[in-house]
Amino acid sequence: AVVSTQSGHYGRDVSVALKTELRMMFKCLCTDDTPMVRRAAASKIGEFAKAVEMEHLKGEVIPLFNSLANDEQFSQDSVRLLAVEAGITIAGLLTESDIETLLLPMFRSAASDKSWRVRFMIADKFIELQRAVGPTITKNHLVFHFSGLLKDVEAEVRASAANKIKEFCTNLPDDIQEAVIMPNILPAVKELVCDTNQHVKAALASVIMGLSPIMGKDNTIQHLLPLFLILLKDEHSDVRLNIISNLDSVNKVIGIHQLSQSLLPAIVELAEDPKWRVRLAIIEHMPLLAEQLGVEFFDEKLNSLCMSWLVDGVFAIRSAATSNLKKLVSIFGLEWAQNTVITKVLSMARDPNYLHRMTTLFAINVLAEVCPPDVISKFMVPVISNLAADAVPNVRFNVAKTMALIVPSLDAQTVEFQIKPCLSKLYDDEDMDVKYFAHEALVLCH
């Protein structure tokens, strides 16, 4: 409580003598034997620095700050990590030359601190530090330490630094971006792509695509595309998702033609992977991909792939593919669905494999949620009715379940003259499951 009131009182209209006393009190708190007190002082020294006069800031507060920032005699990394944030605040009050003389040694020390928590803190606050010290100090000193944090032995530190790569590079002056990135940042990025830690790669994948606009078309094609491909084939779905989620930023730099030649073959390869869980991961990302690439490109390159999943040998893939269709209709619209998807889905009702006929029903279940009643009545109801006479009981009881789902979306005439007669026949079916689900659907019709 004493620490928190120091800066608040100092800035008011108080006498010189009282200000001197307050500074002395704050000095005592900063050098207190109790770590908890020093931690409190470290958390408030930034605010205190903003309140004092410049001569006292340089002569008294900064030496106290440096003492806290190097609080190793008691091995209190909690004090040192709090000092990092305070140091950034103080840097905002000083000129570049003063920062270089008075604060830079502390920031260097923090970037290589023996405690990973202190290094994590400097990595986490690196963009704020970059803004506070300015472009010259960043170029001459911070680039080296940022590169070091990207190679840190602790995964948490690497992940935090990796998450800042795009913003750090964006904040560099245009005339030095390439000169700084190519020899200093890019080598570290190439190492991170093959990092053993999933969270590090996920953090990198979330920002690496954003380097494309900074590095330009030629450098993207030569240096970044191979890294994108590695991450796109990573075993962890969150890494792949982060790449797919940001394809748009690369597309704007290298163009859809180059993108289709480089990254999309890898996506198609994953979509046809022998391991069904890999195929499933790509299916789940497909709506996002479709949204970024647009309907024309999607129809040309990916539509047939999406339809092929509907007849996959694994039920989880077929199920995910039907849900995928619903999302695609929401993105591209009903007209696209009628011209491209619905006809193909309904044609599967004539497939000799009963599993594929059932997939038709599953697809209707999800498409009915995004299609208007007239489309359901005109295109879907006749197909469902025909499947009611299927030789396989599993198909017939799924017909009853589908009818139960679509009844609320249909007009009374369609229900009365098409749905109810069909369900009545199913209610007389010799299979008990068919009878049960037909009865459930008939209850909904009344």
Side-chain angles (χ1 to χ4, degrees), residues 314-363:
V314 178
F315 173 75
I317 299 296
R318 298 196 301 274
S319 179
T322 58
S323 299
N324 191 42
L325 289 179
K326 175 186 171 183
K327 295 172 185 174
L328 291 173
V329 173
S330 298
I331 293 168
F332 293 145
L334 183 60
E335 184 179 350
W336 173 83
Q338 288 180 266
N339 296 334
T340 312
V341 171
I342 293 176
T343 304
K344 291 180 181 178
V345 167
L346 298 182
S347 69
M348 290 168 54
R350 300 187 297 273
D351 196 290
N353 187 327
Y354 86 95
L355 293 173
H356 298 168
R357 300 197 296 275
M358 284 176 59
T359 300
T360 299
L361 294 170
F362 299 149

Short mmCIF file of all heavy atoms in Angstrom, two decimals, residues 314-363:
data_model
loop_
_atom_site.label_atom_id
_atom_site.label_comp_id
_atom_site.label_asym_id
_atom_site.label_seq_id
_atom_site.Cartn_x
_atom_site.Cartn_y
_atom_site.Cartn_z
N VAL A 314 -14.34 -44.50 -44.78
CA VAL A 314 -14.42 -44.30 -43.32
C VAL A 314 -15.65 -43.44 -42.99
O VAL A 314 -15.82 -42.35 -43.55
CB VAL A 314 -13.14 -43.64 -42.79
CG1 VAL A 314 -13.24 -43.40 -41.29
CG2 VAL A 314 -11.93 -44.50 -43.11
N PHE A 315 -16.48 -43.93 -42.06
CA PHE A 315 -17.71 -43.21 -41.72
C PHE A 315 -17.43 -41.80 -41.22
O PHE A 315 -18.15 -40.85 -41.57
CB PHE A 315 -18.51 -43.99 -40.66
CG PHE A 315 -19.71 -43.22 -40.16
CD1 PHE A 315 -20.85 -43.12 -40.94
CD2 PHE A 315 -19.68 -42.58 -38.92
CE1 PHE A 315 -21.96 -42.40 -40.49
CE2 PHE A 315 -20.78 -41.86 -38.47
CZ PHE A 315 -21.92 -41.78 -39.26
N ALA A 316 -16.39 -41.64 -40.38
CA ALA A 316 -16.09 -40.31 -39.82
C ALA A 316 -15.80 -39.30 -40.93
O ALA A 316 -16.16 -38.12 -40.81
CB ALA A 316 -14.89 -40.40 -38.88
N ILE A 317 -15.18 -39.76 -42.02
CA ILE A 317 -14.89 -38.88 -43.15
C ILE A 317 -16.18 -38.51 -43.87
O ILE A 317 -16.42 -37.34 -44.20
CB ILE A 317 -13.91 -39.55 -44.14
CG1 ILE A 317 -12.58 -39.85 -43.45
CG2 ILE A 317 -13.69 -38.67 -45.37
CD1 ILE A 317 -11.82 -38.64 -43.00
N ARG A 318 -17.04 -39.51 -44.13
CA ARG A 318 -18.32 -39.23 -44.81
C ARG A 318 -19.17 -38.28 -43.98
O ARG A 318 -19.79 -37.35 -44.51
CB ARG A 318 -19.08 -40.53 -45.05
CG ARG A 318 -18.35 -41.52 -45.96
CD ARG A 318 -19.30 -42.60 -46.47
NE ARG A 318 -19.92 -43.37 -45.39
CZ ARG A 318 -19.39 -44.44 -44.82
NH1 ARG A 318 -18.18 -44.86 -45.20
NH2 ARG A 318 -20.03 -45.10 -43.86
N SER A 319 -19.18 -38.49 -42.67
CA SER A 319 -19.96 -37.62 -41.79
C SER A 319 -19.45 -36.19 -41.80
O SER A 319 -20.22 -35.22 -41.90
CB SER A 319 -19.93 -38.18 -40.36
OG SER A 319 -20.64 -37.36 -39.47
N ALA A 320 -18.12 -36.05 -41.71
CA ALA A 320 -17.52 -34.71 -41.75
C ALA A 320 -17.74 -34.04 -43.10
O ALA A 320 -17.94 -32.82 -43.18
CB ALA A 320 -16.03 -34.81 -41.45
N ALA A 321 -17.74 -34.85 -44.17
CA ALA A 321 -17.95 -34.30 -45.51
C ALA A 321 -19.35 -33.73 -45.66
O ALA A 321 -19.54 -32.70 -46.34
CB ALA A 321 -17.70 -35.38 -46.55
N THR A 322 -20.34 -34.37 -45.05
CA THR A 322 -21.71 -33.83 -45.13
C THR A 322 -21.82 -32.51 -44.37
O THR A 322 -22.44 -31.56 -44.85
CB THR A 322 -22.73 -34.84 -44.59
OG1 THR A 322 -22.40 -35.18 -43.23
CG2 THR A 322 -22.74 -36.11 -45.42
N SER A 323 -21.21 -32.44 -43.19
CA SER A 323 -21.20 -31.19 -42.44
C SER A 323 -20.46 -30.09 -43.21
O SER A 323 -20.83 -28.91 -43.17
CB SER A 323 -20.53 -31.39 -41.07
OG SER A 323 -21.22 -32.33 -40.31
N ASN A 324 -19.43 -30.51 -43.92
CA ASN A 324 -18.64 -29.60 -44.74
C ASN A 324 -19.51 -28.94 -45.81
O ASN A 324 -19.39 -27.74 -46.09
CB ASN A 324 -17.51 -30.40 -45.38
CG ASN A 324 -16.48 -29.53 -46.05
OD1 ASN A 324 -16.09 -28.51 -45.50
ND2 ASN A 324 -16.03 -29.92 -47.23
N LEU A 325 -20.41 -29.72 -46.41
CA LEU A 325 -21.29 -29.20 -47.46
C LEU A 325 -22.16 -28.06 -46.94
O LEU A 325 -22.36 -27.04 -47.61
CB LEU A 325 -22.19 -30.32 -48.00
CG LEU A 325 -21.51 -31.40 -48.85
CD1 LEU A 325 -22.53 -32.43 -49.29
CD2 LEU A 325 -20.81 -30.78 -50.06
N LYS A 326 -22.68 -28.24 -45.74
CA LYS A 326 -23.52 -27.20 -45.14
C LYS A 326 -22.75 -25.89 -45.01
O LYS A 326 -23.25 -24.80 -45.33
CB LYS A 326 -24.01 -27.66 -43.77
CG LYS A 326 -24.79 -26.62 -43.00
CD LYS A 326 -25.10 -27.11 -41.59
CE LYS A 326 -25.67 -25.98 -40.74
NZ LYS A 326 -25.91 -26.42 -39.35
N LYS A 327 -21.51 -25.97 -44.55
CA LYS A 327 -20.69 -24.77 -44.38
C LYS A 327 -20.37 -24.12 -45.72
O LYS A 327 -20.35 -22.89 -45.85
CB LYS A 327 -19.40 -25.13 -43.63
CG LYS A 327 -19.63 -25.59 -42.21
CD LYS A 327 -18.35 -26.12 -41.57
CE LYS A 327 -18.61 -26.70 -40.19
NZ LYS A 327 -17.41 -27.34 -39.62
N LEU A 328 -20.13 -24.95 -46.74
CA LEU A 328 -19.83 -24.42 -48.07
C LEU A 328 -21.03 -23.70 -48.67
O LEU A 328 -20.88 -22.66 -49.31
CB LEU A 328 -19.37 -25.56 -48.99
CG LEU A 328 -18.01 -26.19 -48.67
CD1 LEU A 328 -17.76 -27.40 -49.56
CD2 LEU A 328 -16.89 -25.17 -48.83
N VAL A 329 -22.22 -24.24 -48.43
CA VAL A 329 -23.44 -23.58 -48.92
C VAL A 329 -23.62 -22.24 -48.23
O VAL A 329 -24.01 -21.24 -48.86
CB VAL A 329 -24.68 -24.48 -48.70
CG1 VAL A 329 -25.96 -23.73 -49.04
CG2 VAL A 329 -24.57 -25.75 -49.53
N SER A 330 -23.31 -22.19 -46.95
CA SER A 330 -23.40 -20.92 -46.21
C SER A 330 -22.43 -19.88 -46.77
O SER A 330 -22.71 -18.69 -46.77
CB SER A 330 -23.11 -21.15 -44.72
OG SER A 330 -24.06 -22.02 -44.16
N ILE A 331 -21.28 -20.34 -47.26
CA ILE A 331 -20.26 -19.42 -47.79
C ILE A 331 -20.59 -18.98 -49.22
O ILE A 331 -20.57 -17.80 -49.54
CB ILE A 331 -18.87 -20.10 -47.77
CG1 ILE A 331 -18.41 -20.33 -46.32
CG2 ILE A 331 -17.83 -19.24 -48.50
CD1 ILE A 331 -17.21 -21.25 -46.20
N PHE A 332 -20.94 -19.95 -50.10
CA PHE A 332 -21.11 -19.66 -51.52
C PHE A 332 -22.54 -19.38 -51.94
O PHE A 332 -22.77 -18.91 -53.06
CB PHE A 332 -20.55 -20.83 -52.35
CG PHE A 332 -19.05 -20.99 -52.25
CD1 PHE A 332 -18.46 -22.25 -52.27
CD2 PHE A 332 -18.22 -19.89 -52.13
CE1 PHE A 332 -17.09 -22.41 -52.18
CE2 PHE A 332 -16.84 -20.04 -52.04
CZ PHE A 332 -16.28 -21.29 -52.07
N GLY A 333 -23.50 -19.72 -51.10
CA GLY A 333 -24.88 -19.38 -51.42
C GLY A 333 -25.70 -20.51 -52.02
O GLY A 333 -25.17 -21.54 -52.48
N LEU A 334 -27.01 -20.31 -52.02
CA LEU A 334 -27.96 -21.34 -52.45
C LEU A 334 -27.85 -21.64 -53.95
O LEU A 334 -27.96 -22.78 -54.38
CB LEU A 334 -29.38 -20.90 -52.10
CG LEU A 334 -30.49 -21.89 -52.41
CD1 LEU A 334 -30.27 -23.19 -51.64
CD2 LEU A 334 -31.85 -21.29 -52.08
N GLU A 335 -27.64 -20.61 -54.76
CA GLU A 335 -27.56 -20.82 -56.21
C GLU A 335 -26.39 -21.75 -56.54
O GLU A 335 -26.51 -22.67 -57.36
CB GLU A 335 -27.38 -19.48 -56.92
CG GLU A 335 -27.39 -19.61 -58.44
CD GLU A 335 -27.24 -18.26 -59.13
OE1 GLU A 335 -27.32 -17.21 -58.45
OE2 GLU A 335 -27.03 -18.26 -60.36
N TRP A 336 -25.27 -21.51 -55.87
CA TRP A 336 -24.11 -22.39 -56.06
C TRP A 336 -24.46 -23.82 -55.64
O TRP A 336 -24.10 -24.78 -56.33
CB TRP A 336 -22.94 -21.87 -55.24
CG TRP A 336 -21.75 -22.80 -55.23
CD1 TRP A 336 -20.77 -22.89 -56.18
CD2 TRP A 336 -21.43 -23.78 -54.24
NE1 TRP A 336 -19.86 -23.87 -55.85
CE2 TRP A 336 -20.23 -24.43 -54.66
CE3 TRP A 336 -22.02 -24.19 -53.04
CZ2 TRP A 336 -19.64 -25.45 -53.92
CZ3 TRP A 336 -21.42 -25.20 -52.30
CH2 TRP A 336 -20.25 -25.82 -52.74
N ALA A 337 -25.16 -23.95 -54.52
CA ALA A 337 -25.53 -25.28 -54.02
C ALA A 337 -26.39 -26.03 -55.03
O ALA A 337 -26.18 -27.22 -55.30
CB ALA A 337 -26.25 -25.16 -52.69
N GLN A 338 -27.38 -25.35 -55.61
CA GLN A 338 -28.28 -25.98 -56.56
C GLN A 338 -27.55 -26.40 -57.84
O GLN A 338 -27.82 -27.45 -58.41
CB GLN A 338 -29.44 -25.04 -56.91
CG GLN A 338 -30.43 -24.87 -55.77
CD GLN A 338 -31.56 -23.94 -56.13
OE1 GLN A 338 -31.53 -22.74 -55.86
NE2 GLN A 338 -32.58 -24.48 -56.78
N ASN A 339 -26.60 -25.56 -58.27
CA ASN A 339 -25.90 -25.84 -59.52
C ASN A 339 -24.77 -26.85 -59.35
O ASN A 339 -24.40 -27.53 -60.31
CB ASN A 339 -25.32 -24.54 -60.10
CG ASN A 339 -26.39 -23.55 -60.50
OD1 ASN A 339 -27.51 -23.96 -60.80
ND2 ASN A 339 -26.07 -22.27 -60.49
N THR A 340 -24.22 -26.92 -58.16
CA THR A 340 -22.97 -27.66 -57.98
C THR A 340 -23.08 -28.87 -57.06
O THR A 340 -22.48 -29.92 -57.33
CB THR A 340 -21.88 -26.72 -57.42
OG1 THR A 340 -21.87 -25.51 -58.18
CG2 THR A 340 -20.50 -27.36 -57.49
N VAL A 341 -23.83 -28.73 -55.97
CA VAL A 341 -23.77 -29.74 -54.91
C VAL A 341 -25.01 -30.63 -54.84
O VAL A 341 -24.91 -31.86 -54.84
CB VAL A 341 -23.56 -29.06 -53.53
CG1 VAL A 341 -23.71 -30.07 -52.41
CG2 VAL A 341 -22.18 -28.42 -53.47
N ILE A 342 -26.18 -30.01 -54.79
CA ILE A 342 -27.40 -30.77 -54.50
C ILE A 342 -27.64 -31.89 -55.51
O ILE A 342 -27.95 -33.03 -55.14
CB ILE A 342 -28.61 -29.81 -54.42
CG1 ILE A 342 -28.45 -28.89 -53.20
CG2 ILE A 342 -29.91 -30.61 -54.32
CD1 ILE A 342 -29.53 -27.84 -53.06
N THR A 343 -27.47 -31.60 -56.79
CA THR A 343 -27.70 -32.62 -57.82
C THR A 343 -26.76 -33.80 -57.64
O THR A 343 -27.17 -34.97 -57.75
CB THR A 343 -27.49 -32.00 -59.22
OG1 THR A 343 -28.35 -30.88 -59.36
CG2 THR A 343 -27.82 -33.02 -60.30
N LYS A 344 -25.48 -33.50 -57.35
CA LYS A 344 -24.49 -34.58 -57.17
C LYS A 344 -24.82 -35.42 -55.94
O LYS A 344 -24.69 -36.65 -55.96
CB LYS A 344 -23.09 -33.98 -57.04
CG LYS A 344 -22.56 -33.35 -58.33
CD LYS A 344 -21.17 -32.78 -58.12
CE LYS A 344 -20.65 -32.12 -59.39
NZ LYS A 344 -19.31 -31.50 -59.19
N VAL A 345 -25.23 -34.75 -54.86
CA VAL A 345 -25.55 -35.47 -53.63
C VAL A 345 -26.75 -36.39 -53.84
O VAL A 345 -26.75 -37.57 -53.46
CB VAL A 345 -25.83 -34.47 -52.48
CG1 VAL A 345 -26.47 -35.18 -51.29
CG2 VAL A 345 -24.56 -33.78 -52.05
N LEU A 346 -27.79 -35.86 -54.50
CA LEU A 346 -29.01 -36.66 -54.69
C LEU A 346 -28.79 -37.82 -55.66
O LEU A 346 -29.46 -38.86 -55.55
CB LEU A 346 -30.13 -35.75 -55.20
CG LEU A 346 -30.55 -34.61 -54.24
CD1 LEU A 346 -31.70 -33.81 -54.81
CD2 LEU A 346 -30.92 -35.16 -52.86
N SER A 347 -27.84 -37.66 -56.56
CA SER A 347 -27.56 -38.76 -57.51
C SER A 347 -26.98 -39.98 -56.80
O SER A 347 -27.07 -41.10 -57.30
CB SER A 347 -26.61 -38.27 -58.61
OG SER A 347 -25.31 -38.03 -58.07
N MET A 348 -26.39 -39.75 -55.63
CA MET A 348 -25.82 -40.88 -54.87
C MET A 348 -26.91 -41.81 -54.33
O MET A 348 -26.62 -42.92 -53.89
CB MET A 348 -24.98 -40.34 -53.70
CG MET A 348 -23.69 -39.68 -54.14
SD MET A 348 -22.91 -38.76 -52.79
CE MET A 348 -22.80 -39.99 -51.52
N ALA A 349 -28.16 -41.37 -54.37
CA ALA A 349 -29.26 -42.21 -53.89
C ALA A 349 -29.42 -43.45 -54.77
O ALA A 349 -30.06 -44.44 -54.37
CB ALA A 349 -30.56 -41.41 -53.87
N ARG A 350 -28.84 -43.41 -55.99
CA ARG A 350 -28.92 -44.56 -56.90
C ARG A 350 -27.66 -45.42 -56.86
O ARG A 350 -27.51 -46.36 -57.64
CB ARG A 350 -29.16 -44.06 -58.33
CG ARG A 350 -30.45 -43.26 -58.49
CD ARG A 350 -30.73 -42.93 -59.94
NE ARG A 350 -29.70 -42.07 -60.53
CZ ARG A 350 -29.73 -40.73 -60.45
NH1 ARG A 350 -30.72 -40.11 -59.82
NH2 ARG A 350 -28.77 -40.01 -61.00
N ASP A 351 -26.75 -45.10 -55.93
CA ASP A 351 -25.49 -45.83 -55.85
C ASP A 351 -25.74 -47.27 -55.37
O ASP A 351 -26.54 -47.50 -54.46
CB ASP A 351 -24.55 -45.12 -54.86
CG ASP A 351 -23.11 -45.58 -54.99
OD1 ASP A 351 -22.83 -46.73 -54.61
OD2 ASP A 351 -22.29 -44.79 -55.47
N PRO A 352 -25.07 -48.25 -55.97
CA PRO A 352 -25.27 -49.64 -55.53
C PRO A 352 -24.81 -49.92 -54.10
O PRO A 352 -25.27 -50.87 -53.46
CB PRO A 352 -24.44 -50.45 -56.54
CG PRO A 352 -23.56 -49.47 -57.23
CD PRO A 352 -24.21 -48.15 -57.16
N ASN A 353 -23.90 -49.09 -53.58
CA ASN A 353 -23.43 -49.27 -52.20
C ASN A 353 -24.41 -48.60 -51.24
O ASN A 353 -24.64 -47.38 -51.30
CB ASN A 353 -22.03 -48.65 -52.07
CG ASN A 353 -21.38 -48.94 -50.73
OD1 ASN A 353 -22.05 -49.03 -49.70
ND2 ASN A 353 -20.06 -49.08 -50.73
N TYR A 354 -25.00 -49.40 -50.35
CA TYR A 354 -26.02 -48.84 -49.45
C TYR A 354 -25.45 -47.76 -48.52
O TYR A 354 -26.16 -46.84 -48.08
CB TYR A 354 -26.70 -49.95 -48.65
CG TYR A 354 -26.00 -50.35 -47.37
CD1 TYR A 354 -26.37 -49.79 -46.15
CD2 TYR A 354 -24.96 -51.27 -47.37
CE1 TYR A 354 -25.74 -50.14 -44.97
CE2 TYR A 354 -24.32 -51.63 -46.20
CZ TYR A 354 -24.71 -51.06 -45.00
OH TYR A 354 -24.07 -51.41 -43.84
N LEU A 355 -24.14 -47.84 -48.20
CA LEU A 355 -23.52 -46.82 -47.35
C LEU A 355 -23.54 -45.45 -48.03
O LEU A 355 -23.73 -44.41 -47.39
CB LEU A 355 -22.08 -47.21 -47.01
CG LEU A 355 -21.92 -48.44 -46.12
CD1 LEU A 355 -20.44 -48.81 -46.02
CD2 LEU A 355 -22.50 -48.18 -44.73
N HIS A 356 -23.38 -45.46 -49.34
CA HIS A 356 -23.41 -44.21 -50.09
C HIS A 356 -24.84 -43.68 -50.19
O HIS A 356 -25.06 -42.47 -50.17
CB HIS A 356 -22.81 -44.42 -51.49
CG HIS A 356 -21.38 -44.85 -51.46
ND1 HIS A 356 -20.71 -45.33 -52.57
CD2 HIS A 356 -20.48 -44.89 -50.44
CE1 HIS A 356 -19.46 -45.64 -52.23
NE2 HIS A 356 -19.31 -45.40 -50.95
N ARG A 357 -25.81 -44.60 -50.29
CA ARG A 357 -27.21 -44.15 -50.29
C ARG A 357 -27.57 -43.52 -48.94
O ARG A 357 -28.30 -42.53 -48.88
CB ARG A 357 -28.14 -45.34 -50.59
CG ARG A 357 -27.89 -45.99 -51.95
CD ARG A 357 -29.05 -46.84 -52.40
NE ARG A 357 -29.30 -47.99 -51.55
CZ ARG A 357 -28.70 -49.18 -51.63
NH1 ARG A 357 -27.72 -49.35 -52.53
NH2 ARG A 357 -29.03 -50.18 -50.84
N MET A 358 -27.02 -44.08 -47.88
CA MET A 358 -27.26 -43.49 -46.56
C MET A 358 -26.59 -42.12 -46.44
O MET A 358 -27.12 -41.20 -45.80
CB MET A 358 -26.74 -44.43 -45.46
CG MET A 358 -27.65 -45.62 -45.23
SD MET A 358 -27.00 -46.79 -44.03
CE MET A 358 -26.83 -45.78 -42.60
N THR A 359 -25.43 -41.97 -47.07
CA THR A 359 -24.74 -40.68 -47.05
C THR A 359 -25.61 -39.60 -47.69
O THR A 359 -25.59 -38.44 -47.27
CB THR A 359 -23.38 -40.78 -47.76
OG1 THR A 359 -22.57 -41.74 -47.08
CG2 THR A 359 -22.65 -39.44 -47.75
N THR A 360 -26.36 -39.98 -48.73
CA THR A 360 -27.31 -39.04 -49.34
C THR A 360 -28.27 -38.49 -48.29
O THR A 360 -28.53 -37.28 -48.22
CB THR A 360 -28.11 -39.73 -50.47
OG1 THR A 360 -27.21 -40.17 -51.46
CG2 THR A 360 -29.12 -38.77 -51.07
N LEU A 361 -28.78 -39.40 -47.47
CA LEU A 361 -29.72 -38.98 -46.41
C LEU A 361 -29.03 -38.09 -45.38
O LEU A 361 -29.59 -37.07 -44.94
CB LEU A 361 -30.33 -40.21 -45.74
CG LEU A 361 -31.24 -41.07 -46.63
CD1 LEU A 361 -31.57 -42.39 -45.95
CD2 LEU A 361 -32.51 -40.31 -46.97
N PHE A 362 -27.82 -38.45 -45.00
CA PHE A 362 -27.09 -37.63 -44.03
C PHE A 362 -26.81 -36.23 -44.59
O PHE A 362 -26.88 -35.22 -43.87
CB PHE A 362 -25.76 -38.30 -43.64
CG PHE A 362 -25.92 -39.64 -42.99
CD1 PHE A 362 -24.96 -40.64 -43.15
CD2 PHE A 362 -27.03 -39.94 -42.21
CE1 PHE A 362 -25.10 -41.88 -42.55
CE2 PHE A 362 -27.18 -41.18 -41.61
CZ PHE A 362 -26.22 -42.16 -41.79
N ALA A 363 -26.51 -36.19 -45.89
CA ALA A 363 -26.25 -34.90 -46.52
C ALA A 363 -27.52 -34.06 -46.57
O ALA A 363 -27.49 -32.84 -46.34
CB ALA A 363 -25.69 -35.11 -47.93
#
